[in-house]
C-alpha cells in the first residue's frame, strides 16, 4: 500500500496543482503563467501585461496614486489573480496607510520627464508609523479606486492597447 | 577570478562524477547541484539548500537517503507556495522532482522507480504545457511568438537574426511597452516595429512548439519500455537543444534534463554522455546570448 502511494504521489500532486491552476485561471482570471500549471509561454497574458491603476478621492477631487513598496507582495498577488476580492483587499490595505502629496511637484518646465512629473504629482502612501517626509503634506483620502488594465496585442496591426478590465472602489468606513 | 575558476572546476567535477556513477547516485548528485544553483535567490532557499548540499558532499551516502530528499522537498515547497504568484513553473517541477526522488528511494527497486517517476513527471509537464497552448487562441494564431519576438529581450537574438528586426527598433518597442505598463502614465496604445521575416518565424515557432511538446507528452506517457526509449531521449534532447537556444531559461532545461537522465539506463553510455553534453550546452546557451 505504501509503495503504491509513493509511486503515485508525485504525479498526483503535479496534476492536482496544475488542475487547480487551470480552474483558477478560468474562474478568477489567474494568469496562466503562474501557479504551477505549465501555462507559461502560451499566451501574452503574463503578469507583466496586467497593470494596476490606483486613484484616490481627496477634498480636491480624484487624483492618481502610486502603489507603495510595502504592499508590493499584495499588489503582485492581485495582478496575477485579479479577483474582486483581491482588488478589494488591496484597496482596504491602502486605506490603512497615510496618504501624502508633494507640496511642490516636479514639472516638465523644470526639466523633469513626463514620467517623473506624473510620479511626483501622484499621491504616495506611507506607513502610519513613519513621520511626514520633508516637503510633503498629509492628504485625507475618503475612497480608493483600484482598476485592473490589460495589454492586448493585435497581431495584424501590431498594436498593443491597454484596456480597463475591472475595478473596485472602497470608501473609508469611519469618517 | 580564482574563486570563479574553483566554482567552475567544482561543477565540472560533479558532472564528471555523475557521468560515471550509477543512475540513482548520479541523478541525486545532479539534482542536488540543480537545487543549490537554481532553487531561488531568497535566503530561505539559499541558506538551507547550501547547508544540505554541503552535508551531502561530505557524507555521500546521505545523498541517497529518503529523509535527505524530504528535507529538500519541504524547503522548496515552503518557498514556492509562499511565493506562488511570482515563481516560475519550473520551480514547482523541481519541487515535484525532489518529492519523486524521496518516494523512489523508498521503493524496493529505487533505480527503476526513479526512472518511472521521471518519465511520468516529464510526460505530465509536457501534456499540461501543450494543453495550455492549444487552449490559448493567441498562441494558435501566432500572436504569442510575434509579441515575444518583438518585445521580450530573451528572444532578441532570434528576432534580429531570423526575423530581420532592427536592434534599435526592438529597444524602442520595449520602451513603448514600458510606457504602457507605467500605472501613472497616460499612454494607452503603442505600435510595434517589426521585421520582414517575423511572421514566418512566429508561424514556425508556434507549430514546432506544439508538435514537439505533443510528441514528448505522448512518448513519455505512453507505456513502451526500452523499445521507445531512444525516441523519448532523442526528442527530449532535440527539444532542449532547440528551445533553450532560442529562450535560455536554463533552470527549466536543467530540470527537464534531470528527469530525462533519470530515465536513461546506466548502460546507455552514449545517451548518458549526450545528456551530460546537453547540461554543458545549457550553460553555454545561458552565457553569450544573454541580453545585456
Amino acid at each position: 500500500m505504501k509503495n503504491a502511494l509513493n509511486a503515485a504521489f508525485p504525479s498526483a500532486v503535479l496534476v492536482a496543482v496544475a488542475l487547480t491552476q487551470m480552474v483558477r485561471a478560468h474562474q478568477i482570471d489567474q494568469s496562466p503563467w503562474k501557479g504551477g500549471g505549465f501555462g507559461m509561454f502560451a499566451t501574452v497574458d503574463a503578469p507583466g501585461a496586467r497593470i494596476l491603476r490606483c486613484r484616490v478621492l481627496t477634498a480636491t477631487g480624484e487624483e492618481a496614486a502610486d502603489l507603495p513598496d510595502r504592499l508590493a507582495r499584495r499588489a503582485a498577488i492581485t495582478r496575477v489573480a485579479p479577483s474582486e476580492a483581491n482588488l478589494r483587499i488591496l484597496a482596504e490595505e491602502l486605506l490603512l496607510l497615510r496618504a501624502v502629496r508633494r507640496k511642490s511637484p516636479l514639472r516638465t518646465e523644470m526639466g523633469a520627464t513626463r514620467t517623473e512629473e506624473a510620479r511626483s504629482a501622484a499621491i504616495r502612501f506611507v506607513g502610519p508609523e513613519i513621520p511626514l517626509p520633508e516637503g510633503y503634506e498629509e492628504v485625507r483620502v475618503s475612497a480608493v479606486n483600484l482598476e485592473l488594465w490589460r495589454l492586448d496585442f493585435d497581431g495584424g496591426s501590431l498594436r498593443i492597447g491597454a484596456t480597463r478590465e475591472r475595478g473596485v472602489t472602497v470608501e473609508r468606513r469611519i469618517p | 577570478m580564482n574563486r570563479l575558476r574553483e566554482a567552475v572546476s567544482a561543477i565540472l567535477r560533479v558532472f564528471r562524477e555523475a557521468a560515471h556513477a550509477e543512475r540513482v547516485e548520479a541523478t541525486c548528485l545532479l539534482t542536488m547541484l540543480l537545487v543549490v544553483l537554481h532553487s531561488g535567490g531568497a535566503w530561505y532557499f539559499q541558506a538551507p539548500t547550501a547547508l544540505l548540499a554541503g552535508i551531502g558532499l561530505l557524507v555521500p551516502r546521505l545523498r541517497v537517503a529518503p529523509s535527505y530528499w524530504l528535507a529538500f522537498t519541504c524547503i522548496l515547497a515552503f518557498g514556492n507556495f509562499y511565493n506562488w504568484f511570482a515563481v516560475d513553473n519550473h520551480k514547482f517541477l523541481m519541487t515535484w522532482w525532489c518529492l519523486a526522488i524521496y518516494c523512489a528511494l523508498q521503493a524496493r527497486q529505487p533505480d527503476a522507480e526513479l526512472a518511472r517517476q521521471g518519465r511520468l513527471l516529464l510526460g505530465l509537464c509536457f501534456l499540461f504545457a501543450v494543453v495550455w497552448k492549444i487552449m490559448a487562441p493567441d498562441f494558435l494564431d501566432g500572436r504569442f511568438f510575434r509579441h515575444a519576438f518583438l518585445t521580450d529581450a530573451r528572444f532578441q537574438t532570434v528576432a534580429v537574426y531570423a526575423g530581420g528586426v532592427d536592434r534599435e527598433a526592438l529597444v524602442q518597442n520595449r520602451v513603448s511597452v514600458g510606457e504602457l505598463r507605467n500605472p501613472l502614465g497616460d499612454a494607452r496604445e503603442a505600435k510595434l516595429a517589426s521585421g520582414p521575416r517575423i511572421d514566418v518565424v512566429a508561424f514556425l515557432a508556434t507549430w514546432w512548439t506544439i508538435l514537439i511538446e505533443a510528441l514528448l507528452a505522448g512518448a513519455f506517457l505512453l507505456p513502451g519500455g526500452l523499445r521507445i526509449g531512444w525516441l523519448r531521449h532523442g526528442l527530449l534532447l532535440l527539444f532542449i537543444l532547440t528551445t533553450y537556444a532560442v529562450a535560455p531559461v536554463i533552470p527549466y532545461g536543467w530540470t527537464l534534463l534531470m528527469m530525462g537522465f533519470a530515465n536513461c539506463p546506466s548502460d546507455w553510455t552514449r545517451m548518458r554522455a549526450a545528456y551530460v553534453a546537453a547540461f554543458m550546452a545549457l550553460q553555454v546557451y545561458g552565457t553569450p546570448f544573454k541580453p545585456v
Side-chain angles (χ1 to χ4, degrees):
Chain A
M1 182 65 184
K2 191 187 168 195
N3 273 341
L5 265 178
N6 273 345
F9 192 52
S11 302
V13 175
L14 182 151
V15 171
V17 171
L19 286 178
T20 305
Q21 191 247 16
M22 272 187 167
V23 171
R24 281 172 63 87
H26 286 100
Q27 283 188 343
I28 61 160
D29 194 21
Q30 180 171 315
S31 170
W33 282 65
K34 300 292 176 187
F38 305 103
M40 63 284 161
F41 296 105
T43 166
V44 296
D45 188 20
R50 296 166 170 207
I51 306 146
L52 282 175
R53 293 188 199 280
C54 178
R55 297 190 69 78
V56 293
L57 192 62
T58 67
T60 53
E62 220 181 65
E63 294 181 57
D66 204 3
L67 291 174
D69 286 346
R70 66 158 55 201
L71 293 184
R73 179 184 161 82
R74 172 52 60 190
I77 291 174
T78 309
R79 253 192 305 275
V80 171
S83 62
E84 196 181 316
N86 277 342
L87 284 166
R88 197 166 285 280
I89 291 170
L90 180 56
E92 279 167 3
E93 288 189 14
L94 283 169
L95 279 172
L96 296 175
L97 301 177
R98 189 176 184 192
V100 296
R101 177 202 291 136
R102 258 186 189 232
K103 285 179 187 163
S104 41
L106 300 172
R107 303 248 171 248
T108 45
E109 304 89 75
M110 297 155 62
T113 62
R114 287 186 67 188
T115 310
E116 285 167 344
E117 184 186 53
R119 174 144 293 174
S120 153
I123 298 284
R124 282 180 55 194
F125 289 97
V126 295
E129 76 287 356
I130 294 172
L132 192 66
E134 202 173 321
Y136 283 82
E137 59 186 357
E138 191 155 354
V139 181
R140 203 185 136 58
V141 168
S142 54
V144 168
N145 171 247
L146 259 184
E147 291 181 342
L148 176 84
W149 289 61
R150 198 190 307 264
L151 298 183
D152 287 315
F153 177 57
D154 180 341
S157 65
L158 298 181
R159 282 184 194 283
I160 299 187
T163 46
R164 183 188 176 280
E165 288 276 318
R166 64 185 74 97
V168 296
T169 301
V170 176
E171 290 178 11
R172 192 181 289 280
R173 282 189 198 132
I174 303 157
Chain B
M1 198 61 192
N2 275 344
R3 289 182 69 184
L4 178 69
R5 205 171 297 147
E6 279 167 23
V8 170
S9 72
I11 290 171
L12 289 176
R13 214 168 31 244
V14 170
F15 277 126
R16 264 199 304 274
E17 206 179 309
H20 296 102
E22 284 302 305
R23 177 157 61 177
V24 173
E25 275 175 53
T27 304
C28 291
L29 186 65
L30 288 174
T31 305
M32 189 185 79
L33 194 61
L34 164 74
V35 173
V36 171
L37 292 178
H38 296 298
S39 60
W43 67 267
Y44 45 81
F45 284 116
Q46 287 200 335
T49 56
L51 182 70
L52 273 179
I55 296 170
L57 283 175
L58 290 174
V59 191
R61 73 189 155 78
L62 208 59
R63 295 202 296 256
V64 288
S67 53
Y68 186 70
W69 289 98
L70 182 62
F72 269 126
T73 306
C74 291
I75 294 163
L76 294 186
F78 165 76
N80 289 336
F81 279 100
Y82 179 68
N83 290 317
W84 68 268
F85 56 91
V87 297
D88 292 329
N89 285 293
H90 64 268
K91 302 279 176 71
F92 283 96
L93 190 59
M94 210 184 279
T95 311
W96 310 148
W97 179 235
C98 289
L99 177 64
I101 296 178
Y102 162 70
C103 291
L105 290 175
Q106 295 182 80
R108 282 193 203 98
Q109 292 176 301
D111 185 68
E113 184 56 20
L114 196 62
R116 201 185 65 86
Q117 297 277 9
R119 183 173 71 75
L120 287 177
L121 290 185
L122 265 173
L124 288 169
C125 152
F126 281 113
L127 178 68
F128 278 103
V130 81
V131 165
W132 264 116
K133 289 178 177 83
I134 289 169
M135 286 192 332
D138 56 338
F139 189 87
L140 287 181
D141 66 12
R143 256 182 299 161
F144 168 74
F145 271 117
R146 237 172 290 168
H147 177 268
F149 289 143
L150 297 178
T151 61
D152 191 333
R154 290 173 294 186
F155 292 96
Q156 179 173 300
T157 312
V158 182
V160 171
Y161 294 107
V165 190
D166 183 57
R167 220 175 266 273
E168 290 298 313
L170 285 178
V171 173
Q172 187 50 50
N173 283 349
R174 288 201 284 274
V175 170
S176 303
V177 173
E179 282 167 5
L180 286 174
R181 281 180 183 157
N182 178 4
L184 295 170
D186 48 14
R188 294 291 181 266
E189 196 178 85
K191 173 133 175 47
L192 299 181
S194 186
R197 297 180 300 277
I198 213 76
D199 285 355
V200 177
V201 179
F203 176 83
L204 292 175
T206 299
W207 290 102
W208 168 251
T209 307
I210 288 184
L211 177 73
I212 193 148
E213 289 191 354
L215 285 174
L216 276 161
F220 278 95
L221 287 178
L222 294 175
L226 295 178
R227 273 175 298 142
I228 61 164
W230 284 94
L231 177 70
R232 283 177 186 151
H233 299 298
L235 279 173
L236 182 63
L237 289 170
L238 180 66
F239 172 81
I240 283 170
L241 293 176
T242 53
T243 304
Y244 298 105
V246 175
V249 190
I250 308 308
Y252 211 147
W254 195 336
T255 311
L256 296 174
L257 274 177
M258 212 50 272
M259 291 184 286
F261 183 82
N263 200 249
C264 183
S266 296
D267 53 351
W268 288 22
T269 46
R270 281 189 189 161
M271 192 56 87
R272 279 164 66 100
Y275 269 103
V276 174
F279 279 117
M280 305 288 197
L282 273 186
Q283 299 307 311
V284 175
Y285 282 167
T287 323
F289 300 127
K290 258 185 194 163
V292 181

